[in-house]
């Protein structure tokens, strides 16, 4: 039997041990909520091909003008034909991709005297982390695969700051460094562009049709403090409209002039000193770092992310992408496999063997997230790169 199969360094004692008596219930820190998972449709990916083709039927191009269509007198049309309209389709290719993860290896000798509830809360923590990863993946795919992108810069024209077009995919940001935060006038212009030029359909709700806007809390507050927006909200509040009350009392508000706002609690950020990589993509900063705690490791904020001066938000319309999960596959004939993890399920693995785990001392959680992102109308997602202004509302000193 080998003594080097499971190095002792890989065994983590992350539970609260009962060496000294612990009083009370083990508390847990929940993962941050994210609105992105509600911004994309779902479905199932059939087991038909490694690479799947997605065909999007384009809008037909009529032979007649949409500005001034010409009609002829009906009595003059005997024997008169018509010019054919033009039709076409755009094809994308996508495939199933997987992210695998695992919890730390746990030794039963250490778990025996752990405080009741410690390992259960550790399991809950891993489950919440999986949810974080799913939301982060959706947001990153929106960023990379979107068909249009916008950079907020006050010295260049709107058309220069905007890149991409209808049914394009993997569009890059314009090679411009932002110098201003996102204001409502620019946001409204982006919404008008999506509606009129990209023919994007907003999300339909009971309160009306809205584009979803995902921004940091500071960016939403900045928009809310715009002179025109503040005046409108004060008027709505004075008139006892529910919208105005929710807008002032909460961190987020919905239903303002065709936009529904959602807070991204860990927005994508970058540094202006090292903004783009060699391929023209924004060099993102991980919002978290690993830090040693009393038992094991935990998430802590990344100082580089906190100090970064660039941020990315999203304006999203409906029918942009689909997130597909694979059909269940367990093999054929005598080629049988255990059911595969796909949705991020957390599974406890415990296997005794004659070499590495003879006494059954060790176990481990594993998970697997499998999905395919199907482009439908990539231009219906517009990432917006803007500057984070320094905090300027510090309290004034007493006289």
């Amino acid at each position: 039997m080998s003594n080097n199969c499971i190095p002792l360094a890989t065994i983590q004692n992350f539970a609260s041990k009962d060496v000294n008596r612990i009083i009370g219930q083990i508390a847990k820190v929940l993962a941050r909520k994210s609105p992105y998972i509600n911004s994309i449709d779902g479905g199932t990916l059939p087991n038909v091909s490694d690479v799947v083709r997605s065909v999007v039927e384009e809008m037909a191009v009529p032979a007649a003008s949409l500005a001034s269509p010409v009609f002829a007198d009906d009595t003059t049309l005997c024997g008169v034909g018509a010019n054919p309209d033009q039709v076409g389709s755009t094809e994308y290719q996508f495939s199933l991709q997987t992210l695998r993860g695992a919890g730390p290896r746990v030794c039963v000798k250490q778990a025996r005297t752990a405080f009741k509830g410690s390992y259960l809360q550790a399991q809950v923590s891993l489950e919440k982390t999986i949810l974080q990863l799913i939301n982060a993946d959706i947001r990153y795919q929106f960023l990379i695969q979107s068909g249009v992108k916008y950079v907020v810069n006050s010295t260049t024209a709107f058309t220069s700051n905007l890149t991409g077009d209808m049914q394009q995919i993997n569009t890059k940001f314009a090679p411009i460094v932002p110098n201003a935060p996102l204001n409502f006038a620019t946001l409204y212009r982006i919404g008008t562009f999506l509606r009129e030029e990209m023919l994007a359909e907003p999300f339909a709700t009971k309160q009306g049709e809205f584009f979803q806007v995902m921004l940091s809390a500071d960016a939403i507050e900045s928009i809310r403090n715009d002179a025109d927006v503040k005046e409108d909200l004060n008027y709505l509040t004075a008139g006892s409209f529910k919208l105005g009350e929710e807008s002032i009392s909460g961190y987020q508000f919905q239903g303002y002039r065709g936009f529904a706002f959602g807070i991204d609690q860990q927005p994508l950020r970058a540094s202006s000193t090292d903004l783009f990589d060699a391929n023209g993509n924004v060099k993102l900063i991980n919002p978290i770092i690993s830090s040693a705690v009393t038992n094991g490791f935990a998430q802590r904020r990344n100082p580089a992310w906190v100090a970064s001066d660039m941020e990315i938000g999203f304006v999203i319309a409906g029918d942009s992408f689909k997130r597909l999960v694979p059909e269940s596959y367990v093999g054929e004939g005598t080629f049988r496999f255990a059911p595969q993890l796909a949705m991020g399920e957390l599974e406890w693995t415990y296997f005794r063997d004659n070499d590495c785990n003879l006494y059954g001392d060790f176990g481990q959680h594993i998970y697997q997230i499998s999905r395919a992102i199907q482009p439908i109308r990539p231009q219906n997602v517009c990432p917006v790169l803007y500057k984070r202004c320094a905090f300027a509302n510090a309290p004034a000193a007493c006289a």
Side-chain angles (χ1 to χ4, degrees):
M1 181 180 67
S2 173
N3 292 324
N4 297 321
C5 291
I6 304 179
L8 293 179
T10 67
I11 308 302
Q12 285 192 22
N13 175 25
F14 57 84
S16 298
K17 303 284 287 184
D18 204 12
V19 177
N20 295 316
R21 179 66 58 182
I22 300 175
I23 303 298
Q25 182 180 2
I26 299 294
K28 58 187 176 186
V29 178
L30 298 180
R32 297 177 182 272
K33 296 179 180 179
S34 175
Y36 291 96
I37 200 168
N38 298 318
S39 302
I40 189 170
D41 294 328
T44 303
L45 182 67
N47 298 320
V48 293
S49 175
D50 291 339
V51 178
V52 183
R53 296 165 58 198
S54 174
V55 181
V56 178
E57 194 66 28
E58 297 276 10
M59 294 187 66
V61 183
S65 170
L66 290 180
S68 56
V70 177
F71 285 68
D73 292 338
D74 191 65
T75 57
T76 65
L77 294 181
C78 291
V80 178
N83 295 324
D85 296 341
Q86 297 176 320
V87 297
S89 61
T90 298
E91 292 193 12
Y92 305 101
Q93 291 186 345
F94 63 97
S95 59
L96 185 68
Q97 296 179 317
T98 298
L99 181 146
R100 283 181 169 175
R105 286 172 172 163
V106 179
C107 178
V108 68
K109 300 297 185 182
Q110 297 175 348
R112 187 186 306 277
T113 58
F115 186 67
K116 185 177 181 180
S118 294
Y119 284 99
L120 178 60
Q121 299 305 341
Q123 174 186 330
V124 172
S125 176
L126 288 173
E127 292 170 349
K128 298 298 182 181
T129 300
I130 293 171
L131 179 61
Q132 273 189 309
L133 286 171
I134 292 175
N135 278 297
D137 174 55
I138 295 172
R139 181 180 60 183
Y140 184 67
Q141 294 305 314
F142 278 170
L143 173 66
I144 296 299
Q145 298 196 43
S146 61
V148 293
K149 289 181 172 67
Y150 187 81
V151 178
V152 180
N153 189 290
S154 62
T155 63
T156 49
F158 180 87
T159 53
S160 300
N161 296 336
L162 186 74
T163 53
D165 205 343
M166 190 175 290
Q167 296 304 144
Q168 288 189 6
I169 194 170
N170 299 333
T171 300
K172 309 295 184 183
F173 282 108
I176 302 172
V177 177
N179 70 346
L182 178 64
N183 63 351
F184 186 79
T186 302
L187 176 62
Y188 193 85
R189 180 67 183 89
I190 293 173
T192 302
F193 166 79
L194 292 177
R195 187 187 294 269
E196 295 183 353
E197 300 184 39
M198 298 294 100
L199 304 180
E201 293 289 341
F203 291 94
T205 68
K206 294 180 180 179
Q207 290 77 29
E209 293 187 339
F210 305 105
F211 291 110
Q212 291 185 353
V213 182
M214 311 299 184
L215 299 169
S216 66
D218 284 345
I220 291 179
E221 185 67 15
S222 176
I223 289 177
R224 185 160 47 187
N225 287 332
D226 275 1
D228 293 339
V229 176
K230 182 184 295 184
E231 182 178 351
D232 286 351
L233 295 181
N234 288 335
Y235 175 77
L236 290 173
T237 304
S240 297
F241 287 95
K242 187 176 181 181
L243 167 63
E245 295 173 359
E246 292 179 349
S247 301
I248 291 175
S249 62
Y251 277 111
Q252 60 187 11
F253 59 98
Q254 293 191 357
Y256 182 75
R257 295 176 66 178
F259 296 97
F261 291 79
I263 292 180
D264 185 350
Q265 291 183 299
Q266 282 185 331
L268 296 176
R269 290 179 181 173
S271 172
S272 59
T273 58
D274 192 19
L275 188 55
F276 298 106
D277 62 19
N279 297 319
N281 296 316
V282 175
K283 299 178 71 171
L284 302 174
I285 299 174
N286 191 347
I288 64 169
I289 57 175
S290 176
S291 178
V293 292
T294 305
N295 300 297
F297 296 86
Q299 290 186 17
R300 292 293 183 266
R301 58 179 184 163
N302 186 348
W305 179 83
V306 173
S308 59
D309 58 349
M310 297 289 137
E311 198 166 82
I312 297 175
F314 295 85
V315 184
I316 305 172
D319 298 324
S320 57
F321 297 89
K322 280 188 175 181
R323 184 180 184 274
L324 307 179
V325 296
E327 288 183 341
S328 178
Y329 179 74
V330 294
E332 297 180 74
T334 59
F335 295 89
R336 309 302 292 180
F337 298 92
Q340 293 293 297
L341 303 177
M343 297 292 292
E345 303 94 336
L346 197 63
E347 180 180 299
W348 176 256
T349 60
Y350 174 81
F351 180 73
R352 295 180 63 176
D353 61 65
N354 292 328
D355 187 19
C356 298
N357 201 15
L358 177 62
Y359 291 95
D361 289 335
F362 305 104
Q364 189 174 26
H365 273 113
I366 61 172
Y367 62 88
Q368 184 168 272
I369 305 171
S370 297
R371 56 89 185 122
I373 303 297
Q374 178 185 4
I376 305 296
R377 298 198 177 279
Q379 73 273 13
N380 286 10
V381 175
C382 179
V384 181
L385 178 61
Y386 54 89
K387 184 176 178 61
R388 294 180 66 213
C389 294
F391 180 68
N393 293 324
C398 296

